[in-house]
Amino acid sequence: MLERLGERWRPQHWRRRLLWSALTALVLALLLTLVWLAGRYEASQVQSRLERDAADAVGDIRSRLTRNLQSLQALQFGEPGPARWSQEATALLRERRELVRIEWRDDHFNVLNQAGTPYRPPVFDRLGRDSVQSEVTQVCNAARRLSGPAYSGSYFVPMTDGLGLEVMEMCLPLASAGVVMGYLVATYSLQDLLDDLGPQLTRSQEVSFTEGDGTRLAIRGNSRRGGRVFSAQHLLDLPGTTLVLRMDSWRGAPDLFPNVLTALVTAMSIALVAILLLLGKDMRRRLKAERDLADALAFRKAMEDSLVTGLRARDLQGRITYVNPAFCQMVGFTAEELLGQGVQAPPYWPPELADEYRKRQEIRLAGNVPPREGYESVFMHKDGTRFPVLIIEAPLINAQGVQTGWMSAFLDIREQRRVEELSRASQERLQATARLAMVGEMASLLSHELNQPLAAIASYATGTQNLLDQGAHSPADIRLAMHRIAEQAERAGKVIKSVHDFVRRRDQAREAIAPRLLLDAILPLVNLQARKLGVQVQIRLAPDLPTVLCDRTMVEQVLLNLARNGMQAMDQPEIRRRVLTLEVRRSPADARWIEFSVADIGPGIAPEVAEQLFTPFFTTKAEGMGLGLSLCRTVIEQHGGNLVFESSPPHGTVFRFTLPAGPAA
């Protein structure tokens, strides 16, 4: 019995030991992994800090070089003399230890003046400056090509004390009016550039300038200590050369093992408590989200029930998936009767329009977005009543940004149509009343516009009678006078017809007329009044003008009105020289328009008169009716143009209006 129990226990024992061994191995592997990861993390942190320090050091060196360049440029400000230049260069060398020599050279690289650092013996005393003349020539040629500062590669200079110095040259071309007049050469000490980085950066690192193969040119910092080396290299790109800044740091291996178990247990305990807290917080958030969702659904349901706008949602196959109560009330069907409908013909489509609506639905389901302002359609109520609706549709997008159908909004526009019909009827009544008022307006316009041709007929008739009374006449003179009377009578008839059409707001007959012909038509009447008032008429016509599209009679009347107003404005005793200028040219603002202008040299228009100059029945003349300028502006605006006026220095007024240009004359 015991033997059988022992035989049964031994396999279970080995199985349990195997499980514990596996668990122990898993824990050890986890601990070793944690230690290894902690070491890697510590090493990466050290390397990152070293990279940042190297980048900061490169930035500091570049800033120092830029500041030195600005100071060197300031040496040449104001074309200094040799004594002043030497004094300022020596002061700069005393302030900037990394500069060991500054030279002023002409355009053939001959030294005009130089200054050396006071902190060390002269750098080139042992071999002489001419031994590195090739370096200076090369870097200055590079600076000349770059039209800016250039740096040479570093080279070693032995000194008289048995030591040496790694230096590099910087050449700055001195140009005047784009021509290089000389060069400013500065010699940098690489060792002093590193010394100026500060003790806080070099206390735990070794900083050096190196060549591409790793040879150190200058070193600054503590010597090697510790068992692990961390290195970072950054390039210092300068015009003409590139230096490599290397930063080395020595650290011992991270000693984390004694704290790993404590940290692991603490971390697991904190993680367990945090998980419980997060679970409790997540549960509270879920409950709150469910309550908020229920409130939002109730709010949306109340809002949809209160809408008078019908809402309908369809899937991509055209089946109705949602309708609100307003839509159901609009068409007279319940939601149960409408849901799932729409693949063939919904019950609210009029049978006579079903084919047209089906084609429109196919176009919509194909992905064509309807117009944003919507479109009108006709629906059928359950009792068979047709009514107009305005439909506004938009794609239905789910939370993943995928279109799942179309959402439509419906507005019953029966009341809107009824209001429009009432408004249309009211407008027709107003138009009938306005036509009655037009009769009085036509009488006023005819009396105003017929004054000029009738006055011309009377003048020609009086002249003819004088010729007959004097007996000194010829048939040609009488025939010319009768011809002028016939022209003015015909003009009076055209005025009556044009004013009649103008009052009735019909489309007047537009024709392409050369601007010269418009002026020629009014010149006889203008000259007649000009001779009476002692006015000199000047015509300025730009060359190569196209025709203008206008109602000839009405535009001639506008020109005649403006010309008569201008001559009457100059009919004052104090104005001795009276000139009226009629000018035609292309509009400076738009070549598609022709600009007419009528300018006088009268006293101008007072500000209080200018404010109501175009007001109907406003006039400053005792015999005037106040309709001339108002009619002129209306005629020009009917042609699409604009009539304006402005002062004409030193005195006078100019009226301008535009007419659309036609084909070439």
Side-chain angles (χ1 to χ4, degrees), residues 6 35 48 51 73 76 141 171 227 263 276 316 326 337 401 417 432 478 494 515 530 537 569 589 603 622 647 656:
V35 172
S48 298
E51 293 285 347
Q73 289 174 337
Q76 302 302 127
N141 287 332
C171 183
L276 292 176
L316 295 177
E337 293 175 318
R417 290 290 178 266
I478 300 300
K494 290 182 179 180
V537 180
S647 298
R656 307 180 192 275

Side-chain angles (χ1 to χ4, degrees), residues 108 118 262 280 298 566 585:
H108 297 293
T262 303
R585 62 175 181 173

Side-chain angles (χ1 to χ4, degrees), residues 50-65:
L50 192 62
E51 293 285 347
R52 288 195 301 271
D53 291 342
D56 293 339
V58 169
D60 291 342
I61 294 174
R62 185 175 286 109
S63 300
R64 191 175 306 114
L65 294 177

Side-chain angles (χ1 to χ4, degrees), residues 220-233:
R220 169 70 177 175
N222 295 328
S223 59
R224 176 182 304 198
R225 65 177 185 272
R228 190 170 182 180
V229 180
F230 297 87
S231 298
Q233 291 185 354

